Amino acid sequence: MSNIGDLQSFANSITAVTSPLRGYLNELHQKYSSLNDGTVADYIPELALAKPEWFGVCVVTTDGQIFEAGDCDQLFTIQSISKAFVFGLALEDHGREYVNSKVSVEPTGEAFNSIVLDEATNRPYNPMVNAGAIATADLIKGENGTERLKRLLEMFKRYTGRDHDINVPVFLSEKATGYRNRAMAYLMLNFGMVSDKIDETLDLYFQQCSILVNAKDLAMLSATLANGGINPVTQERAIAEQYVQDVISVMLTCGMYDASGEWTYRVGLPAKSGVGGGITAVAPGKLGIGTFSPLLDAKGNSARGIKVCEDLSRDFGLHLFNVAKPERVLADWISGGNGVDDW
Amino acid sequence: MPKVVSIHSYRGGTGKSNFTANLATTIALQGKRVGVVDTDVPSPGIHNLFCLEPEQTHKTLNNYLWGESSIAETAYDVSANVGVEGTGKLFLVPSSVKADDIARILKDSYDVKLMHDGFRNLVKTLQLDYLFIDTHPGLSKETFLSIAISHVLILILRPDKQDYQGTAVTMDVARQLNVRKMLLAINKVHSKLNLDALKQKVEEAYGETVAGVFPLSEDMVQLASEGVFCVKYPDHSLSQEFRKVAQQIVEV
Ligand SMILES: Nc1ncnc2c1ncn2[C@@H]1O[C@H](COP(=O)(O)OP(=O)(O)OP(=O)(O)O)[C@@H](O)[C@H]1O
Ligand SMILES: [Mg+2]
């Protein structure tokens, strides 16, 4: 699809307002606004500042329509969600074989911050656990730390279509208290799995986790993956087409920490969550979902975000392995056609 | 299922407000609950046809868009002013005619989502069967919105080259917005023209139905927006034409 014209793009922004799908999202938002399970992350003081009532839901389709409900402009730190996308950039920098030789793609039942490496190969289990993400960040090319960070920020801009900043207090806090991550990095250095620019790479890792995004950005990230790596609004390519499946499949198997199995069973959408309260979920070829609510369940996933994704997946038959006729036909709910009229 | 009817034209002064008032009243007189919203925030006027004076309207659509009141609080029951009785009801949501208010809404704009949610809320709380939207001429965000939500879009044009061209532009937009149903109405036709031939010509040119053809009328000019024409002159040929268009709206 070529770049869409101004008439179509303005018309899209209006039909996104009037579409029954927005009404559906509004109701979903209302339904789960009163769900107050879970707690706000507080392992560093900056994260504890998040308001528990913040709640945004955004859907972006692969043809570039944006549907929002709630606080979709509220910024928060991307945290672990960054890991999936940095993995994509590492693949572009080095190719599949080399990256796989440094980081495995095996799900682990262990917690995200566990200090375990594969015994036979010394590789961290996958790019979504902290150890794997640090090894992945190590692979990002660039002359120095600044240049490597710039490359990450440029990559996120290609996905979301806008500039991103770092939340400096969060970065400094993570850096000051990240003993465990530091220990993991040195353990991997000991096994020769990462290069010796440990401080630079750890800074980069803490910075990538401190990038500020909103729910709409998260929907745009996953919509870009769903659209084969091309941002559906700007039409810019964010990641080489051949690596889209790598990123998406690791999201499916490892994206939701140690709740990934349950998630795949119930929701069936490749997704990645972060302790900032975000979830990004991909319905390949169809759409991207971005949710934000800082109330986390025991496994570190946004409690409301999970509910929203469950409902969306069930109601529109988005589960990857769904073969049954869904209750609602997505295209009709977007256009208000075929008798879908919610007046 | 409630129906949203938007009345629009590319150019000004085509008769939008008079059509809105006459069609809404005709349907309310059939016992339906009908709401009318004046989305012409830069130059509101339809309240005159319903004999609602600005002094009586302390809350307007502007107040709703500024978050100062609920949409239902800005709706006025004008049934009695147009002789609607029984189960039928007619409500009007006027826009403010205060220069300050108009300047404020032009300067600060407003959230189109809020306007949309207001329409829905109004339909729900007043249990409307029909919502009529009177619009500002030309293309603007409220025009796009009203076209996108309408179950029936009525485009008014005069037999005039500028109107013909503008209508074509509007129809492109309407199709882009996946409008459900479009009807054309030709107004202010010179008495010497052959109405049937004109109707046919316009239908062929645009590929859409012409729901009614309205001659230029001395009586309409004389009424001068001080009331709803079909209430004042129920047996007039123009009133019959309004009823014909209303029937097509009901049948959609
Ligand atoms: N068929 C007609 N014959 C004669 N006069 C008419 C006819 N239809 C409308 N008018 C007159 O034309 C004028 C404009 O009508 P109206 O205000 O309804 O148009 P409008 O499209 O709403 O204008 P605006 O674009 O300013 O909102 C009014 O004075 C009205 O009485
Ligand atoms: Mg008018």
Side-chain angles (χ1 to χ4, degrees):
Chain A
M1 189 169 71
S2 64
N3 211 332
I4 61 176
D6 285 338
L7 170 58
Q8 199 191 334
S9 114
F10 187 53
N12 277 355
S13 75
I14 295 289
T15 46
V17 168
T18 60
S19 159
L21 185 62
R22 190 176 79 94
Y24 170 92
L25 291 181
N26 271 335
E27 276 176 26
L28 207 56
H29 181 269
Q30 212 166 8
K31 178 173 168 190
Y32 292 120
S33 289
S34 51
L35 178 74
N36 289 313
D37 295 354
T39 49
V40 174
D42 59 0
Y43 66 90
I44 54 169
E46 286 74 18
L47 287 181
L49 296 176
K51 294 210 175 88
E53 63 269 20
W54 282 340
F55 185 23
V57 179
C58 183
V59 167
V60 176
T61 62
T62 48
D63 57 4
Q65 299 197 73
I66 304 169
F67 303 93
E68 300 172 66
D71 311 316
C72 289
D73 296 322
Q74 176 61 50
L75 293 173
F76 53 94
T77 49
I78 188 168
Q79 300 293 347
S80 296
I81 297 168
S82 65
K83 294 169 178 172
F85 300 91
V86 176
F87 176 57
L89 188 60
L91 287 163
E92 287 187 309
D93 279 358
H94 299 278
R96 207 169 272 153
E97 292 319 311
Y98 186 74
V99 173
N100 287 172
S101 75
K102 297 288 176 188
V103 191
S104 171
V105 288
E106 210 51 63
T108 158
E110 309 287 335
F112 65 97
N113 59 359
S114 58
I115 307 188
V116 280
L117 301 175
D118 181 279
E119 275 190 23
T121 62
N122 295 321
R123 290 178 302 171
Y125 273 96
N126 63 65
M128 305 295 170
V129 293
N130 290 2
I134 293 166
T136 306
D138 179 60
L139 297 174
I140 298 306
K141 285 184 177 167
E143 282 299 305
N144 48 47
T146 314
E147 204 173 288
R148 294 165 78 202
L149 173 62
K150 242 179 79 189
R151 289 192 66 229
L152 286 193
L153 291 175
E154 276 162 8
M155 173 196 71
F156 280 105
K157 183 181 179 173
R158 289 196 299 275
Y159 275 99
T160 66
R162 67 177 199 94
D163 285 310
H164 291 278
D165 295 323
I166 301 277
N167 181 325
V168 176
V170 170
F171 161 57
L172 293 175
S173 256
E174 301 263 12
K175 178 178 164 140
T177 59
Y179 304 119
R180 200 180 172 100
N181 288 322
R182 211 164 284 278
M184 265 183 297
Y186 278 101
L187 184 66
M188 288 190 289
L189 177 62
N190 172 61
F191 288 118
M193 301 309 289
V194 294
S195 69
D196 59 5
K197 44 183 199 289
I198 290 272
D199 285 333
E200 190 184 297
T201 291
L202 279 170
D203 272 0
L204 187 64
Y205 172 69
F206 294 133
Q207 282 159 349
Q208 79 175 54
C209 292
S210 308
I211 291 172
L212 286 165
V213 290
N214 56 35
K216 194 169 142 189
D217 295 328
L218 295 186
M220 211 60 100
L221 282 162
S222 45
T224 298
L225 290 175
N227 193 37
I230 294 176
N231 177 306
V233 174
T234 66
Q235 298 297 322
E236 196 181 346
R237 177 163 286 289
I239 173 175
E241 196 169 27
Q242 56 175 319
Y243 295 124
V244 171
Q245 70 176 46
D246 298 53
V247 173
I248 295 184
S249 51
V250 175
M251 287 167 81
L252 180 67
T253 50
C254 316
M256 300 298 282
Y257 302 120
D258 42 329
S260 297
E262 174 93 14
W263 172 272
T264 301
Y265 178 72
R266 295 178 73 89
V267 182
L269 292 174
K272 186 72 204 87
S273 65
V275 287
I279 296 179
T280 184
V282 189
K286 294 179 184 149
L287 50 81
I289 303 169
T291 64
F292 168 54
S293 161
L295 292 170
L296 307 181
D297 67 12
K299 301 211 163 172
N301 297 314
S302 169
R304 290 180 189 172
I306 288 180
K307 286 289 178 199
V308 166
C309 291
E310 266 178 20
D311 278 26
L312 272 166
S313 173
R314 182 196 57 228
D315 292 347
F316 293 97
L318 299 176
H319 194 297
L320 280 190
F321 309 123
N322 172 61
V323 288
K325 194 173 173 292
E327 194 180 315
R328 296 174 170 85
V329 177
L330 184 66
D332 296 341
W333 276 73
I334 289 173
S335 67
N338 268 331
V340 176
D341 187 341
D342 59 336
W343 272 89
Chain B
M1 188 71 93
K3 262 184 213 161
V4 182
V5 185
S6 295
I7 288 89
H8 186 61
S9 63
Y10 180 81
R11 298 186 64 222
T14 53
K16 291 180 292 300
S17 299
N18 274 277
F19 268 62
T20 309
N22 277 281
L23 295 171
T25 305
T26 301
I27 291 180
L29 285 169
Q30 296 170 7
K32 301 290 185 204
R33 298 177 65 88
V34 179
V36 176
V37 182
D38 191 353
T39 67
D40 188 354
V41 275
S43 51
I46 195 171
H47 52 271
N48 289 297
L49 288 122
F50 293 118
C51 308
L52 195 64
E53 299 304 326
E55 302 79 62
Q56 299 168 268
T57 57
H58 297 294
K59 302 261 185 194
T60 60
L61 181 65
N62 303 56
N63 298 103
Y64 166 72
L65 294 173
W66 294 325
E68 295 168 0
S69 60
S70 73
I71 190 77
E73 285 170 333
T74 67
Y76 297 85
D77 187 342
V78 293
S79 312
N81 305 11
V82 290
V84 169
E85 298 166 344
T87 57
K89 280 273 175 236
L90 191 59
F91 299 94
L92 174 68
V93 174
S95 275
S96 174
V97 285
K98 289 185 197 140
D100 265 337
D101 289 351
I102 295 173
R104 179 172 166 199
I105 206 129
L106 295 180
K107 182 169 138 271
D108 300 342
S109 193
Y110 63 88
D111 185 355
V112 66
K113 276 191 209 126
L114 199 60
M115 179 88 101
H116 171 260
D117 296 346
F119 291 155
R120 286 186 178 254
N121 204 314
L122 192 70
V123 167
K124 280 219 176 75
T125 35
L126 297 180
Q127 297 179 310
L128 299 179
D129 301 308
Y130 289 87
L131 180 70
F132 279 79
I133 302 176
D134 188 16
T135 61
H136 187 65
L139 297 175
S140 61
K141 65 178 174 185
E142 52 272 16
T143 312
F144 273 65
L145 175 65
S146 56
I147 292 177
I149 60 166
S150 47
H151 296 92
V152 188
L153 169 66
I154 298 183
L155 284 181
I156 304 177
L157 68 157
R158 293 162 298 202
D160 177 300
K161 180 131 192 251
Q162 295 189 60
D163 285 35
Y164 286 143
Q165 198 169 66
T167 302
V169 173
T170 312
M171 289 175 79
D172 281 347
V173 168
R175 290 193 180 116
Q176 188 73 54
L177 288 163
N178 304 317
V179 69
R180 295 177 173 97
K181 173 84 187 168
M182 227 185 310
L183 292 173
L184 297 171
I186 313 172
N187 192 20
K188 302 194 180 180
V189 179
H190 193 278
S191 53
K192 291 220 179 76
L193 284 181
N194 177 332
L195 302 187
D196 283 335
L198 179 65
K199 174 175 181 317
Q200 213 175 356
K201 195 182 108 190
V202 170
E203 284 187 338
E204 271 167 23
Y206 293 105
E208 295 287 348
T209 312
V210 170
V213 184
F214 296 76
L216 191 70
S217 147
E218 288 275 340
D219 300 323
M220 185 80 134
V221 175
Q222 206 178 359
L223 180 60
S225 297
E226 291 198 50
V228 177
F229 190 86
C230 66
V231 175
K232 298 271 157 126
Y233 305 97
D235 301 323
H236 198 284
S237 62
L238 239 57
S239 301
Q240 279 168 23
E241 198 70 2
F242 278 128
R243 283 195 288 275
K244 206 175 95 188
V245 176
Q247 192 52 35
Q248 292 172 72
I249 293 172
V250 172
E251 281 167 7
V252 162

